[in-house]
Amino acid sequence: MEAATVGVSNSNQGGGATVSYMNQKQQPQPIQLGTVPHLFAGGVAGAFSKTCTAPFARLTILFQISLKRFSGQTSCNQLQGMHSDAAMLSKPCIWREGLRIVNEEGFRAFWKGNLVTIIHRLPYTAVNFYSYDRYKNLLRSFTGLDSHPGNVASDIFVHFIGGGLAGITAASATYPLDLVRTRLAAQKNLVYYQGMGHTLRTICRDEGFFGLYKGMGATLLGVGPSIAISFTVYEMLRSYCHTKRPNDSTEMVSLACGSLSGMASSTATFPLDLVRRRMQLEGAAGRARIYNGGICATFRHIIRSEGFRGLYRGILAEYYKVVPGVGIVFMTYETLKKLLSDQSF
């Protein structure tokens, strides 16, 4: 991934040509890969990261989909195994919920639905990184920014728009797998969906083909800004680090910058992600329908019944997941790109 070029001016140093030469030396050179190795690097990075952080990913989903108060006379039986422990919600605790999972479902339950996650993340992250580089190059050519390198505002524009378009492209292409993963991860002891194939067939049978795209609007609204912020913060931080500390390990810089970029993007877009999860589970396993009217109605219902803080239910688990997760993605991606660039394809 090509880093943003940050111009550095210093009137006390020799001359403009010398400063320019030093900056060029300090900036990491973009690694060029063919389409297949590029997609491979992105896919493996995403799958590896998700596997490492799967326990916190499941905890995040369980906190997001839990309801503090139920509408009408909705009973636990109606939820048919979907998580809804009101006692846990009154004073949510990540560690207590983690112990509950271990005691009731076993340690392996932290990776429930992880196979679907890997199947989803392989194409998702591959398309995400690949399309980001393509959109970035297209934007630079289309806007004429190639002939004016070093402009920070222009670089931010390219990274933000390119990242947003890449996120929307990847999410649109792989959305049904994301919904299946959410349904599987949300189950407790009583299992309604038995594997990826059964979940796909059951959703199509009970909710129709378009049930596979339930909550997609909220997903695209969230993933566009999220990926845009993530790529922009990562690129600018990485460029800054390589300018100020050119001798630092590339892998460690990618890990640190990726972690910070993940925290920034998650904080900004977490409410939309929570709404997306709630909408994905509407009608799941015979669950009573609570949110009617789309994204805005879901937002209003959550704020009215759970307060504004309800929009950030599970944010701590999200940080535990995202901070290492996004860092691992970028570190693995950059490492694989470097390794693959030394091979002949």
Side-chain angles (χ1 to χ4, degrees):
M1 186 186 304
E2 183 181 355
T5 305
V6 180
V8 179
S9 61
N10 191 333
S11 59
N12 295 326
Q13 293 183 357
T18 302
V19 175
S20 176
Y21 173 72
M22 290 178 64
N23 287 341
Q24 288 177 2
K25 283 186 67 179
Q26 291 171 345
Q27 292 298 324
Q29 296 300 312
I31 298 174
Q32 301 299 328
L33 289 178
T35 299
V36 173
H38 199 163
L39 290 170
F40 175 81
V44 171
F48 177 66
S49 172
K50 280 295 182 179
T51 301
C52 291
T53 59
F56 287 114
R58 183 161 189 238
L59 284 169
T60 300
I61 290 174
L62 292 178
F63 277 113
Q64 283 180 326
I65 64 174
S66 299
L67 304 178
K68 196 168 187 177
R69 288 187 291 271
F70 301 116
S71 295
Q73 300 300 317
T74 302
S75 68
C76 292
N77 290 332
Q78 286 178 296
L79 298 180
Q80 296 190 22
M82 310 304 281
H83 187 69
S84 59
D85 191 342
M88 180 273 292
L89 286 172
S90 61
K91 292 183 179 180
C93 174
I94 292 172
W95 307 115
R96 184 167 62 243
E97 179 66 0
L99 288 174
R100 184 203 63 77
I101 291 174
V102 173
N103 292 331
E104 295 182 10
E105 306 175 60
F107 186 74
R108 292 178 60 185
F110 281 119
W111 281 267
K112 183 178 288 185
N114 191 57
L115 178 60
V116 180
T117 299
I118 292 175
I119 294 173
H120 168 252
R121 279 288 147 170
L122 279 169
Y124 175 86
T125 318
V127 172
N128 196 20
F129 278 108
Y130 180 80
S131 59
Y132 170 68
D133 277 353
R134 293 299 174 265
Y135 282 130
K136 185 171 60 175
N137 294 335
L138 182 64
L139 285 167
R140 282 178 171 160
S141 299
F142 183 75
T143 58
L145 295 177
D146 277 337
S147 58
H148 300 86
N151 187 302
V152 176
S154 298
D155 283 334
I156 291 176
F157 169 80
V158 168
H159 298 318
F160 189 85
I161 300 300
L165 292 174
I168 289 172
T169 300
S172 299
T174 60
Y175 185 77
L177 288 172
D178 182 45
L179 183 138
V180 168
R181 178 233 174 189
T182 298
R183 296 282 179 96
L184 288 173
Q187 297 184 125
K188 283 181 64 181
N189 294 321
L190 185 58
V191 176
Y192 186 82
Y193 301 110
Q194 301 174 354
M196 184 177 66
H198 179 262
T199 306
L200 287 168
R201 292 192 300 271
T202 303
I203 292 172
C204 289
R205 183 194 66 208
D206 295 348
E207 305 168 54
F209 175 77
F210 290 105
L212 295 173
Y213 293 88
K214 188 171 291 182
M216 185 173 177
T219 297
L220 296 184
L221 281 176
V223 78
S226 177
I227 301 300
I229 293 169
S230 182
F231 272 118
T232 302
V233 173
Y234 171 77
E235 295 277 21
M236 302 310 293
L237 285 176
R238 192 172 77 120
S239 180
Y240 178 83
C241 288
H242 279 292
T243 299
K244 297 296 184 182
R245 304 174 65 90
N247 296 322
D248 285 356
S249 166
T250 301
E251 290 76 15
M252 291 299 100
V253 168
S254 296
L255 178 64
C257 295
S259 298
L260 291 173
S261 72
M263 179 177 287
S265 63
S266 290
T267 302
T269 61
F270 188 81
L272 275 170
D273 187 58
L274 182 139
V275 167
R276 169 174 73 101
R277 298 295 188 194
R278 297 282 181 90
M279 293 182 69
Q280 283 180 333
L281 287 166
E282 278 288 87
R287 186 175 185 169
R289 294 181 180 275
I290 297 175
Y291 311 111
N292 296 305
I295 297 171
C296 293
T298 305
F299 265 111
R300 287 195 298 270
H301 186 282
I302 293 172
I303 293 173
R304 184 172 62 251
S305 61
E306 304 172 49
F308 181 78
R309 293 179 61 184
L311 294 174
Y312 285 89
R313 184 180 300 282
I315 187 67
L316 186 57
E318 178 75 359
Y319 285 150
Y320 286 145
K321 174 189 71 173
V322 165
V323 170
V326 178
I328 291 171
V329 166
F330 280 110
M331 181 183 69
T332 307
Y333 175 70
E334 298 290 356
T335 301
L336 286 174
K337 280 182 67 177
K338 186 185 297 184
L339 292 174
L340 292 171
S341 66
D342 295 333
Q343 308 299 320
S344 298
F345 290 92

